[in-house]
């Protein structure tokens, strides 16, 4: 259950759809492919073909022009043989707005309207397109229902304690993002305050029954999902999951029915009765209920849940700490990631192609994409949705279909009531141009759109030939089997004339057919690519010497892909990085302003590449150093980062698309190297050198010894120098003394400074007695 956490007026997301029509042809149709069509319905299924339903309009020497041809060809026919304009059938598209209410923010008494228009009717020919111009505006304070679905197995017991403490913090954090917020917990209890009382249990195997819980959280009314709200399920676990078929291990073979089976206490009652849901079943319910899944799982399980998120629409993944302490930040970041992007999808059948184009916010040019990210409140995103009918279903009931165009994760959608133009009115009883047992057909057939459909006993253009050889008028004239009066060749030399009609030869290969009114067409003389006609069945088919390409392909041999995915570098949204054009699935780079090159025109002489972007994750994944040197930080910051392949030497060929990167690890001064590139699927790969290139360690002992030795040596030299200077000084003083002594001219008595060795003192008081 949810409990109300906010009741402030909500400013809802708005999406404005302005309907616009561009009735564009799917491509120029070869006139020869028109002329081979034998009925009006078959003719108008080619976008440029026009049918003449005028009675008695027959190809002959006087009038060699076929009923089915392009409009240009029909108008070029001579006036005396041209089909009257009121008999030309060239249907065009029809468009009608059936519900077109204005965008509203919503109030207490009225639900918000985010999509405009809400319902349209569209009638299209095969191969023609219709454009809807759409706008999406990011919401402010849009209602959010968040349901935290937690694995309460024994291994998650410490996480349960942490979650109970973080419940209020999670509520406060989400209320800062939107005031109209409600929070629920698990599939067993109805509010955060009861998390501590939830019981945990042990398992007999590693995978958990999370899919059962997810299914019940999605489909059960007891959960309390609001219709006008963004619905989030945070699925928290430290283990993998059971899916359809695993129930057989417990003797359970009944498939999951996708219905609610919660009792009055909120406990799942069918765990021993029906199998787990499949991934496809979960995905269908997520789309049906407009749910956004957030898989908050531990690092050991992130790989398998990333693959799961790719199969579940509108889902994302995040690494959960071992004790779930980072759950609040994880939910906040994933919520912001969801709300800052928009993705359009549809429920159209295989007979309808829906293409999306957008210029998102800043780029000035339109690119083929159904996603825009990095949006802020108030940003307006423009979308152009192109709708095409690719072919007519075999069952006429399917000629009219309804499908929706919706924003992933939201309940509202645009309903398109589409009717495919696959036949002509004159082929339906009760319409002008439809006449049973028509005199124009000798009374043996029905005149439809100017052509006779004979009963089972007659054939011929006017049903003039009898299958049994009698009852009809045999026509021996073979002029009806010649394309025009300029040739005598019957049925183009590839058939026989029977009662004025060509019967084409059969080929040894049953897949090869010769057809056409004069056997002028076949399905095997078309351009080839790699020895395959029209590049193979997946690309196109051969029709009267011309390749009719499947949706998404073009070129004489349907060898060129119209999709631009192969021209978009992983992690980017703009084909060829905006430096070239996507031609035949490959980038043709611009060289006028700057010389760009590479698979996605991502390289140029001054381009930095992605080395700096990839450096930190390579450094922490391979060497355990750098800004993300802590294992938890590395796992959180490098979630979608490919695991680097460790090699002895990281090197790249100059002729390849690989980029060589080298950096210095500031923690030890060593150099580390890696190479990145993209495989054939456009997926990033990295080869990193397992060892770093470090400078040799300095000889500390010899350095210290050298320094000490140098100090001692300098000291000794100083002492010796001092001793030498002292000795020289003493010698000089002694020499001077000797010189002075030798040059003296007086003796001891004459020496004025001489004093005797004895001194005499006289007492003045002594009188001599």
């Amino acid at each position: 259950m949810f409990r109300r956490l906010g009741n402030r007026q909500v400013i809802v997301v708005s999406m404005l759809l302005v309907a616009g029509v561009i009735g564009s042809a799917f491509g120029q149709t070869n006139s020869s492919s028109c002329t081979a069509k034998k009925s009006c319905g078959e003719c108008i299924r080619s976008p440029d073909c026009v049918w003449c339903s005028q009675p008695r309009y027959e190809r002959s020497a006087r009038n060699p022009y076929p009923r089915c041809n392009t409009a240009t060809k029909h108008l070029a026919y001579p006036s005396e043989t041209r089909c009257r304009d009121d008999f030309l059938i060239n249907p065009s598209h029809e468009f009608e707005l059936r519900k077109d209410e204005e965008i509203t923010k919503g109030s207490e008494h009225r639900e918000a309207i985010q999509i405009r228009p809400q319902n349209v009717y569209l009638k299209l020919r095969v191969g023609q397109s219709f454009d809807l111009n759409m706008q999406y505006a990011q919401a402010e304070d849009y209602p959010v229902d968040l349901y935290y679905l937690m694995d309460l197995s024994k291994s998650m017991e410490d996480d349960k304690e942490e979650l109970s403490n973080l419940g209020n913090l999670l509520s406060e954090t989400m209320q800062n993002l939107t005031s109209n917020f409600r929070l629920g917990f698990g599939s067993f209890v109805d509010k955060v305050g009861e998390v501590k009382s939830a019981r945990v249990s042990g398992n007999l195997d590693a995978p958990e029954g999370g899919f059962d819980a997810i299914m019940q959280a999605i489909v059960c009314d007891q959960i309390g999902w609001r219709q006008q709200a963004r619905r989030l399920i945070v699925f928290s676990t430290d283990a993998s999951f059971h899916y359809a078929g695993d129930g057989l291990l417990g003797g359970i073979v009944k498939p999951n029915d996708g219905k609610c089976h919660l009792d009055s206490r909120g406990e799942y009652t069918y765990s021993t009765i029906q199998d787990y849901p499949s991934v496809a079943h979960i995905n269908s319910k997520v789309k049906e209920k407009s749910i956004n899944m957030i898989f908050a799982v531990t690092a050991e399980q992130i790989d398998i849940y990333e693959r799961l998120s790719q199969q579940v629409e509108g889902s994302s993944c995040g690494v959960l700490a071992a004790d779930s302490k980072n759950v609040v930040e994880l939910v906040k970041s994933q919520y912001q990631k969801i709300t800052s992007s928009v993705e359009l999808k549809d429920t159209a059948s295989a007979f309808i192609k829906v293409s999306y184009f957008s210029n998102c916010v800043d780029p000035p040019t339109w690119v083929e994409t159904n996603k825009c990210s990095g949006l802020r409140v108030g940003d307006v995103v423009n979308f152009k949705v192109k709708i095409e009918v690719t072919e007519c279903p075999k069952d006429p009931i399917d000629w009219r279909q309804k499908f929706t165009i919706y924003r992933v994760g939201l309940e509202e959608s645009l309903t398109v009531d589409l009717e495919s133009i696959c036949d002509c009115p004159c082929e339906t009883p009760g319409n002008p141009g439809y006449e049973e047992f028509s005199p124009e057909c000798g009374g043996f057939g029905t005149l439809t759109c100017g052509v006779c459909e004979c009963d089972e006993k007659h054939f011929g253009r006017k049903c003039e030939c009898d299958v049994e050889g009698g009852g009809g008028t045999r026509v021996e004239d073979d002029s009806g089997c010649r394309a025009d009066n300029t040739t005598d060749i019957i049925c183009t030399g590839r058939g026989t004339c029977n009662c004025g009609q060509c019967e084409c030869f059969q080929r040894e290969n049953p897949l090869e057919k010769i057809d056409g009114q004069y056997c002028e067409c076949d399905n095997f003389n078309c351009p080839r690519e790699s020895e395959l006609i029209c590049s193979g069945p997946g690309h196109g088919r051969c029709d009267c010497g011309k390749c009719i390409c499947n949706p998404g392909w073009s070129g004489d041999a349907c060898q060129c892909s119209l999709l631009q995915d192969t021209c978009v570098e992983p992690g980017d949204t703009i084909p060829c990085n905006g430096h070239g054009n996507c031609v035949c699935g490959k980038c043709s780079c611009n060289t006028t302003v700057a010389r760009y090159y590479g698979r996605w025109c991502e390289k140029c002489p001054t381009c930095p590449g992605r080395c700096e972007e990839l450096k930190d994750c390579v450094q922490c994944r391979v060497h355990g150093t750098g800004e993300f040197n802590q294992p938890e930080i590395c796992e959180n910051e490098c979630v979608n980062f490919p695991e680097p392949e460790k090699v002895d030497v990281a090197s790249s060929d100059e002729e390849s698309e690989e980029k060589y990167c080298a950096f210095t690890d500031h923690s030890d001064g060593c150099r580390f190297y890696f190479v990145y590139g993209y495989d054939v699927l456009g997926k990033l790969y990295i080869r990193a050198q397992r060892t770093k290139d470090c400078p040799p360690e300095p000889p500390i002992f010899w350095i210290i010894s050298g320094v000490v030795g140098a100090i001692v040596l300098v000291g000794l030299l100083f002492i010796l120098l001092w001793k030498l200077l002292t000795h020289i000084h003493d010698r000089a003083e002694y020499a001077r003394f000797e010189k002075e002594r030798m040059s003296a001219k007086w003796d001891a008595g004459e020496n004025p400074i001489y004093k005797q060795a004895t001194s005499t003192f006289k007492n003045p008081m002594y009188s001599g007695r």
Side-chain angles (χ1 to χ4, degrees), residues 148-219:
Y148 198 102
L149 191 56
M150 184 179 177
D151 173 12
L152 290 182
S153 60
K154 187 65 177 177
S155 62
M156 293 286 285
E157 185 171 8
D158 59 335
D159 300 72
K160 179 181 80 75
E161 297 296 331
E162 187 66 33
L163 178 62
S164 64
N165 297 326
L166 294 175
N168 291 331
L169 178 59
L170 179 60
S171 301
E172 295 172 1
T173 301
M174 292 302 297
Q175 279 189 306
N176 291 332
L177 301 176
T178 173
S179 62
N180 198 340
F181 171 67
R182 296 194 304 171
L183 177 66
F185 166 73
S187 59
F188 307 107
V189 287
D190 61 353
K191 54 186 176 182
V192 176
E194 294 185 11
V195 175
K196 283 193 173 182
S197 63
R199 64 179 181 270
V200 297
S201 64
N203 297 323
L204 298 179
D205 60 355
E208 306 292 353
F211 273 21
D212 275 338
I214 291 175
M215 180 63 75
Q216 298 303 299
I218 293 174
V219 302

Side-chain angles (χ1 to χ4, degrees), residues 483-686:
D484 53 53
N485 59 356
T486 63
T487 180
D488 294 329
I489 300 176
I490 303 298
C491 301
T492 324
R494 302 199 296 180
T496 59
C497 187
N498 187 356
C499 197
Q501 284 188 320
C502 286
E503 292 184 0
C504 303
F505 296 145
Q506 299 295 317
R507 301 276 294 181
E508 293 183 4
N509 185 347
L511 298 179
E512 296 180 353
K513 304 290 185 182
I514 299 175
D515 57 10
Q517 186 173 356
Y518 304 105
C519 303
E520 75 274 20
C521 294
D522 60 59
N523 66 349
F524 51 85
N525 281 319
C526 279
R528 299 172 181 254
E529 181 73 18
S530 301
E531 302 300 324
L532 297 175
I533 298 175
C534 302
S535 301
H539 291 226
R541 58 183 174 84
C542 182
D543 185 356
C544 203
K546 176 180 173 60
C547 287
I548 305 299
C549 300
N550 294 341
W553 298 95
S554 65
D556 293 340
C558 303
Q559 75 278 17
C560 295
S561 173
L562 293 177
L563 299 177
Q564 298 189 353
D565 296 349
T566 55
C567 294
V568 179
E569 184 177 8
D572 202 349
T573 58
I574 303 177
C576 306
N577 285 282
H579 302 142
N581 299 316
C582 188
V583 180
C584 201
K586 296 182 179 180
C587 285
S588 176
C589 303
N590 296 334
T591 57
T592 54
V593 178
R595 189 174 64 85
Y596 289 97
Y597 62 99
R599 182 174 179 180
W600 298 287
C601 303
E602 78 281 14
K603 298 179 180 180
C604 70
T606 58
C607 293
R610 299 184 65 185
C611 290
E612 189 69 31
E613 172 190 347
L614 305 174
K615 177 191 71 172
D616 292 333
C617 287
V618 171
Q619 192 173 359
C620 77
R621 285 281 183 90
V622 178
H623 306 293
T625 58
E627 292 188 16
F628 307 151
N629 58 348
Q630 297 296 326
E632 292 184 359
I633 299 177
C634 187
E635 291 298 328
N636 290 335
E637 296 293 338
C638 307
V639 172
N640 297 321
F641 193 80
E643 187 63 31
E645 177 189 357
K646 297 180 182 179
V647 296
D648 293 332
V649 178
S651 61
S652 64
D653 188 350
E654 293 183 357
E655 297 181 357
S656 70
E657 298 292 334
E658 296 178 338
K659 182 73 174 180
Y660 180 78
C661 309
F663 292 95
T664 299
D665 191 333
H666 297 292
S667 63
D668 54 14
C670 298
R671 299 278 288 177
F672 64 94
Y673 312 96
F674 63 92
V675 172
Y676 74 88
Y678 302 91
D679 59 19
V680 293
L681 299 177
K683 186 177 180 181
L684 175 68
Y685 66 84
I686 295 173

